[in-house]
Amino acid sequence: MLNYDIQFLKGVGPKKAKQLNKLNIYSIEDLLNYFPIKYEDRQKISAINDLKDLSEESKVLLKIKLYENPKKSSLKKNMSIIKAVGRDDTGFISLTFFNQDFLMDKLNIFDEFYVFGKVKLSFGKFEMTNPEIENVVNDHKVGKIMPIYGLTYGLSNNELTKLTSLAIKTYFDKIEDIIPNEIMLKYKLISRKNAIRYLHFPIDNRKYSVAKKTIAFEKLLIMQIGLLSIKNNLKTDLPGIEFNDDTLSKALLKCLPYELTNAQKKVISEIKEDMKLNKPMNRLVQGDVGSGKTIVAFYAMLIAVKSNYQTSMMAPTEILAMQHYEALIELINKLNINVNVAFLSGSTKAKEKREILFNLENGNIDIIIGTHALIEDKVIFKNIGLVVTDEQHRFGVRQRAMLSNKGKNPDLLVMTATPIPRTLALMFYGDLDISIIDEMPPNRQVIQTSIIKGNEKQEAYDFIKENIIQGRQCYIVAPLVEESENLEADSAEEIFEELKSSQFVKFNLGLLHGKMKNSEKEIVMKDFYDGKINVLISTTVIEVGVNVPNAVIMLVLNAERFGLAQLHQLRGRVGRGKHQSYCILVNESKSKNSKDRMNILKNTNNGFLIAEEDLRLRGPGDFFGTRQSGLSKYEIKSIISNVEVVKEVQLLSKQIIQENPNLEGEDYINFKKEILNLFQDENIIFN
């Protein structure tokens, strides 16, 4: 019953269902698993004379009476303003409401109201702007901890709260436990139904904490055991290819105009040892932006080619794939060797594609580089020996397996520029062995990072214009695609419309976000790469897969909303050419924690140090969730906050895999079903 279409929940219907779909909520189960991003504590009612001790960042709950009738006025054509004065037994407070004309019928003098919002002290008087206000007889939030959800345009927090509450009441008895009972008892977890209820509507801190641990434990355990099962099956059951000839690869290194770092040499050594073994290699190469992962991958690819095997390299975007293709062609020309390299993407013309597929199947192509097009059914290899994927979290386990299944147990090499602390990497990449390039090449350009306040954006825009006039290009990143009622953050579409008609009216602007079709994204990215776009306004879709040497400024709006590791990835989009590059972070938050986080980025360019600090400050949540394609319904970044839970799950997962690798027994029925739902392919998990 939990898989019922969300539109059939009372109060939803087809129109509201489409809005919920934007949040990846398609079923009752999805709604129950869509947890709040934060909470508002409305348990304590403050007195007005207590407000002097409160920070402007805090929201407070007051119980007041209107002291006088509200007054309405118009500032301009589309702006109305209502002013009122409230009081309690200890003092007075001014209330201001913009564009809320309906309140004139609700705000009656001497009536009692609950008011909830931020308080400012202005000229010795307390005031609130656009607070929530509700008549005492109607308010249902007082005395409670209220959930705040991530929203989409047209869907309010009140609506989502009511729908979630109804779903929990209606389907509470249908929510089954997934984790076996003995594990729940051992780790002091509660039933899944209560965990879901307390995560959405906490009664107190103790119940909230155990609910959070229960759901985090469940989701991590499902993900980890699934990954470990895949790793075990890939490594133990299948014979691999023994590659022993690296003469071509050594020649590649000799023709480079630079020497590899010690870290690169160490990783190459690990790859060579893997490729010599009679079992498939499954290795992740994790390295910071610019650390030289690609040349390591090329080294491995030429080992396979020299051994008369084909190899493929899959990248998440057409531009990134083309850049790899062009770089490899240049190196092969330098070596003056006969290696046939082809490029395949969704935009490859039909006639050319047929020719490529024919030559690939007949063994006339040694190396093929491309996008998701490589995993199509029509792509058939004669004897693929090595599969390379770039930016692994954009593909996920299942897609990697689809590419690997095109050959007889080929070796697998995965690259990522996302620095993740070792503890979390073991969880996130549980099906892979891990190599780390933790050293940057000498003379690598240092990107100058600066932190500015929201009211200093004009200086940043002027700086961007100066650089455009000098022939450079820039990125402006916004955290949202569209306007959202509950988030005080700029959106990519808003910013694009505003800037193209004001600040950058004389320049060419481009817009890029995740809701665009892949073909539309590729066109915009190619235009930016070709210099046709001066400023690219984007969401974090440009976090990976864009290498534009002429782009020298990365301006991130509402930087406080991003994880440090994510900001570091965005910063890595610039500094790829010969010109000095800059990263400007706009911090709209006044909190000390936010300033401390921004200063970490300012003071270091080491992605691994930044990732460790992010883990310390924000918990491990940012490293999980939708970043691994295929795990989107298991997004848990707002739940995982304790590294100890991750460690507990790692130890338990290994124990379960050793003692019960196929999860046999009645206690594991629901658990096994969840793993299969997540990874979608029993053949790559259980024997």
Side-chain angles (χ1 to χ4, degrees):
M1 293 183 74
L2 296 184
N3 61 1
Y4 282 177
D5 193 313
I6 193 64
Q7 70 169 314
F8 299 119
L9 180 67
K10 185 178 179 182
V12 179
K15 184 179 178 182
K16 192 65 66 181
K18 285 184 179 179
Q19 292 171 328
L20 291 166
N21 292 165
K22 290 181 180 179
L23 301 174
N24 288 321
I25 298 173
Y26 295 91
S27 66
I28 301 298
E29 178 81 40
D30 293 337
L31 179 61
L32 294 175
N33 276 287
Y34 192 75
F35 297 113
I37 55 174
K38 60 181 179 178
Y39 301 86
E40 288 180 342
D41 188 351
R42 303 199 183 191
Q43 296 177 104
K44 177 188 175 186
I45 301 172
S46 299
I48 292 175
N49 70 347
D50 292 333
L51 299 180
K52 60 181 178 294
D53 297 325
L54 293 169
S55 159
E56 286 186 13
E57 290 291 304
S58 304
K59 287 186 175 181
V60 297
L61 178 68
L62 303 173
K63 186 177 182 182
I64 63 168
K65 284 186 178 180
L66 280 196
Y67 181 67
E68 58 184 31
N69 282 317
K71 296 172 183 175
K72 179 185 169 186
S73 59
S74 296
L75 293 179
K76 50 187 177 181
K77 186 177 180 181
N78 297 319
M79 176 74 75
S80 65
I81 183 170
I82 296 173
K83 286 190 172 290
V85 177
R87 58 158 296 184
D88 63 11
D89 294 337
T90 68
F92 294 85
I93 189 165
S94 298
L95 308 173
T96 303
F97 304 91
F98 291 100
N99 290 338
Q100 299 187 52
D101 295 358
F102 65 91
L103 288 177
M104 288 300 292
D105 296 327
K106 292 178 65 174
L107 301 179
N108 300 313
I109 191 169
F110 303 132
D111 277 4
E112 274 196 309
F113 295 91
Y114 287 117
V115 185
F116 185 79
K118 291 182 182 178
V119 176
K120 279 173 56 180
L121 186 62
S122 182
F123 300 105
K125 296 181 180 179
F126 293 116
E127 59 180 42
M128 291 175 114
T129 301
N130 280 345
E132 284 187 48
I133 186 165
E134 190 62 71
N135 198 292
V136 167
V137 297
N138 298 327
D139 198 293
H140 63 283
K141 298 179 181 179
V142 171
K144 298 178 181 177
I145 300 171
M146 297 303 297
I148 303 296
Y149 297 95
L151 301 175
T152 188
Y153 187 71
L155 187 68
S156 73
N157 195 68
N158 278 341
E159 287 177 300
L160 195 49
T161 301
K162 288 176 183 177
L163 291 175
T164 304
S165 178
L166 177 62
I168 290 173
K169 287 175 184 174
T170 307
Y171 295 96
F172 188 75
D173 292 332
K174 305 296 181 186
I175 302 172
E176 297 180 336
D177 288 332
I178 290 174
I179 297 177
N181 190 54
E182 62 177 357
I183 295 176
M184 291 175 63
L185 291 172
K186 181 178 178 180
Y187 292 93
K188 297 177 181 174
L189 309 177
I190 59 175
S191 69
R192 188 167 184 257
K193 61 178 68 174
N194 280 323
I196 287 173
R197 176 169 62 181
Y198 295 141
L199 259 184
H200 284 288
F201 303 104
I203 294 174
D204 55 43
N205 191 57
R206 188 185 68 80
K207 283 188 168 61
Y208 169 73
S209 295
V210 72
K212 190 174 181 179
K213 179 181 178 181
T214 297
I215 296 298
F217 204 100
E218 171 195 298
K219 292 182 182 295
L220 287 172
L221 192 61
I222 288 166
M223 185 169 73
Q224 179 70 347
I225 287 186
L227 290 171
L228 287 178
S229 297
I230 293 168
K231 183 175 182 178
N232 279 4
N233 283 347
L234 290 173
K235 288 187 77 89
T236 58
D237 296 343
L238 306 172
I241 303 165
E242 295 180 47
F243 298 100
N244 290 300
D245 194 340
D246 65 345
T247 54
L248 200 56
S249 302
K250 286 179 178 176
L252 168 73
L253 299 187
K254 287 179 181 176
C255 81
L256 296 176
Y258 54 84
E259 186 177 349
L260 297 189
T261 63
N262 289 328
Q264 286 173 303
K265 291 175 183 176
K266 179 175 179 291
V267 171
I268 281 177
S269 177
E270 290 169 345
I271 290 170
K272 280 169 58 179
E273 290 304 310
D274 273 357
M275 294 184 76
K276 287 177 184 177
L277 298 176
N278 184 25
K279 59 180 180 179
M281 172 175 71
N282 289 282
R283 183 163 292 278
L284 168 75
V285 175
Q286 185 186 357
D288 213 339
V289 173
S291 61
K293 298 180 297 298
T294 306
I295 201 68
V296 169
F298 288 169
Y299 188 100
M301 291 162 75
L302 289 181
I303 290 177
V305 169
K306 183 63 176 170
S307 303
N308 297 316
Y309 281 90
Q310 295 169 302
T311 180
S312 69
M313 185 182 215
M314 184 166 68
T317 68
E318 186 169 328
I319 284 185
L320 184 58
M322 179 57 76
Q323 288 168 349
H324 287 325
Y325 171 76
E326 291 172 347
L328 184 58
I329 289 289
E330 184 180 343
L331 288 170
I332 285 172
N333 288 338
K334 277 186 181 180
L335 284 169
N336 194 25
I337 54 176
N338 184 25
V339 174
N340 295 320
V341 185
F343 178 83
L344 183 67
S345 73
S347 63
T348 303
K349 292 179 180 178
K351 182 181 178 183
E352 185 183 356
K353 184 175 181 180
R354 283 194 298 270
E355 188 177 332
I356 290 170
L357 295 180
F358 176 81
N359 286 321
L360 194 65
E361 189 172 0
N362 285 280
N364 298 325
I365 291 174
D366 302 302
I367 298 173
I368 188 163
I369 297 176
T371 60
H372 290 76
L374 294 180
I375 60 175
E376 292 176 1
D377 291 339
K378 292 180 180 178
V379 178
I380 300 170
F381 294 84
K382 182 180 180 181
N383 63 338
I384 187 165
L386 173 66
V387 170
V388 180
T389 64
D390 194 7
E391 290 307 338
Q392 105 88 12
H393 64 261
R394 302 286 165 171
F395 298 112
V397 172
R398 190 162 181 261
Q399 287 165 307
R400 293 204 314 266
M402 288 169 69
L403 192 50
S404 293
N405 288 340
K406 291 181 178 291
K408 295 179 181 178
N409 315 329
D411 282 5
L412 174 67
L413 184 65
V414 172
M415 299 190 293
T416 181
T418 307
I420 298 177
R422 183 78 183 177
T423 303
L424 301 182
L426 291 170
M427 172 66 76
F428 193 48
Y429 301 114
D431 60 321
L432 301 168
D433 296 314
I434 299 174
S435 291
I436 297 176
I437 302 178
D438 54 3
E439 182 183 1
M440 297 297 283
N443 304 320
R444 170 78 179 173
Q445 184 190 132
V446 177
I447 300 162
Q448 292 185 17
T449 303
S450 57
I451 320 296
I452 65 172
K453 297 175 183 175
N455 59 8
E456 297 173 319
K457 278 189 282 192
Q458 185 59 54
E459 294 174 39
Y461 292 145
D462 291 341
F463 184 59
I464 288 174
K465 282 184 269 193
E466 288 173 15
N467 276 270
I468 294 174
I469 291 168
Q470 292 171 19
R472 309 285 81 78
Q473 293 164 278
C474 308
Y475 299 97
I476 297 178
V477 173
L480 302 169
V481 176
E482 55 188 19
E483 285 186 85
S484 177
E485 291 180 20
N486 75 319
L487 294 174
E488 295 175 6
D490 299 310
S491 76
E493 289 176 346
E494 266 187 300
I495 292 297
F496 177 75
E497 293 298 331
E498 177 191 335
L499 294 183
K500 78 173 184 179
S501 59
S502 58
Q503 297 285 344
F504 301 105
V505 69
K506 295 180 181 179
F507 303 102
N508 294 325
L509 270 64
L511 175 64
L512 192 69
H513 58 71
K515 293 191 176 182
M516 295 166 67
K517 294 177 182 176
N518 283 335
S519 57
E520 294 172 333
K521 290 183 202 171
E522 293 291 352
I523 290 170
V524 173
M525 289 167 70
K526 188 174 188 309
D527 284 348
F528 189 58
Y529 182 71
D530 292 340
K532 296 176 183 176
I533 292 172
N534 304 120
V535 180
L536 182 62
I537 294 164
S538 173
T539 55
T540 56
V541 292
I542 53 97
E543 184 183 346
V544 297
V546 184
N547 182 15
V548 182
N550 194 45
V552 297
I553 297 176
M554 169 64 66
L555 174 66
V556 184
L557 304 172
N558 294 104
E560 73 280 357
R561 296 194 57 80
F562 297 86
L564 292 184
Q566 196 172 35
L567 289 172
H568 179 63
Q569 287 290 294
L570 290 170
R571 175 168 61 183
R573 293 305 100 204
V574 295
R576 293 170 165 264
K578 60 184 179 181
H579 304 286
Q580 177 60 52
S581 293
Y582 308 86
C583 178
I584 305 170
L585 306 174
V586 183
N587 182 17
E588 301 277 2
S589 173
K590 298 175 183 175
S591 74
K592 182 179 183 300
N593 179 265
S594 180
K595 290 175 184 175
D596 290 345
R597 291 179 61 245
M598 295 298 115
N599 281 329
I600 290 167
L601 277 166
K602 186 176 180 179
N603 295 329
T604 181
N605 281 282
N606 186 315
F608 290 94
L609 287 178
I610 289 167
E612 293 288 353
E613 283 299 307
D614 220 8
L615 177 64
R616 184 179 66 81
L617 291 171
R618 283 163 59 106
D622 270 2
F623 299 100
F624 296 94
T626 54
R627 299 182 63 84
Q628 173 133 340
S629 177
L631 304 183
S632 58
K633 65 181 286 187
Y634 274 72
E635 186 173 0
I636 48 182
K637 65 182 179 182
S638 60
I639 299 171
I640 306 295
S641 59
N642 189 339
V643 178
E644 294 306 313
V645 174
V646 175
K647 290 179 179 177
E648 282 183 334
V649 169
Q650 286 174 343
L651 292 172
L652 176 61
S653 300
K654 290 175 183 176
Q655 181 185 335
I656 291 172
I657 287 295
Q658 286 174 358
E659 297 174 359
N660 188 6
N662 290 315
L663 306 184
E664 295 168 349
E666 195 172 326
D667 282 352
Y668 282 92
I669 290 175
N670 287 339
F671 189 76
K672 189 171 182 177
K673 191 186 300 180
E674 281 297 308
I675 293 177
L676 294 177
N677 284 340
L678 178 60
F679 290 95
Q680 302 176 346
D681 192 340
E682 186 169 0
N683 294 326
I684 64 171
I685 301 178
F686 303 111
N687 295 324

